[in-house]
Structure formats: C-alpha cells, structure tokens
Amino acid sequence: MLNRERKKMNRKYICPICGYNELKNPPWGEDGKNPSYDICACCGCEFGYEDVTEESKKRFREKWINNGAKWFTSKKKPKDWNLEEQLKNL
C-alpha cells in the first residue's frame, strides 16, 4: 500500500452541523459535490438532506442543540465530550 493511500485511509472529516471530527468519509465526497448520505454518529445529520444549504445546516444544528444535543449513536460518545469544544471545529 502506498503511503498516500495509507494517509487517506486514516483521514478524518468534520460534520458541518455539529463539528464532530471523527467522520471516516467526507460528508460531500472528495469533490465536495456529491453527498455521501452517511449519518453523523453525533448529531444524526444525513449528509445530502439536512445539510444542503447554510440555512438548513443552521436549522438542524439549532434543533439538535435545543433538544439537548443528544448523540445519535450514544456508544460512540467520548466520556470527556464537550459540546462547546466540538462546535469550535466548525
């Protein structure tokens, strides 16, 4: 395996809604134009639906925070998770 391919496999991506920085795939593909339709383990955003426009991102983020910023996949939530710190990734 080439070093370049290894780096790509270990690369992490950031959710445009909540700032979760452990996504394995780019939310909108390598070209930034084709949504992955993956779901963020933190906020539950399905890339390609709730994050299509800046306004839809803002609405989804506000709704998620107002509902307690609960993790979509709770078993992936780090023990020392801090919402404010994570939002700084945006």
Side-chain angles (χ1 to χ4, degrees), residues 15-20 38-72 83 86-87 90:
C15 174
I17 303 294
C18 69
Y20 180 59
D38 289 346
I39 296 175
C40 177
C42 181
C43 68
C45 173
E46 183 172 358
F47 307 117
Y49 288 106
E50 289 98 2
D51 65 335
V52 175
T53 66
E54 289 304 314
E55 184 59 34
S56 65
K57 290 178 196 177
K58 181 180 175 183
R59 268 195 318 269
F60 192 88
R61 183 181 305 117
E62 287 176 356
K63 181 179 176 183
W64 174 68
I65 291 171
N66 289 338
N67 287 325
K70 296 175 185 157
W71 273 65
F72 185 75
L83 175 61
Q86 183 171 296
L87 291 173
L90 296 175

Side-chain angles (χ1 to χ4, degrees), residues 1-10:
M1 180 180 300
L2 296 173
N3 207 18
R4 179 178 27 147
E5 290 172 342
R6 192 174 297 121
K7 283 182 182 178
K8 192 173 182 179
M9 286 176 53
N10 294 325

Side-chain angles (χ1 to χ4, degrees), residues 71-88:
W71 273 65
F72 185 75
T73 308
S74 59
K75 67 181 180 179
K76 290 193 175 191
K77 181 180 177 181
K79 291 180 183 181
D80 61 347
W81 181 69
N82 182 291
L83 175 61
E84 290 77 26
E85 286 299 312
Q86 183 171 296
L87 291 173
K88 291 178 183 178

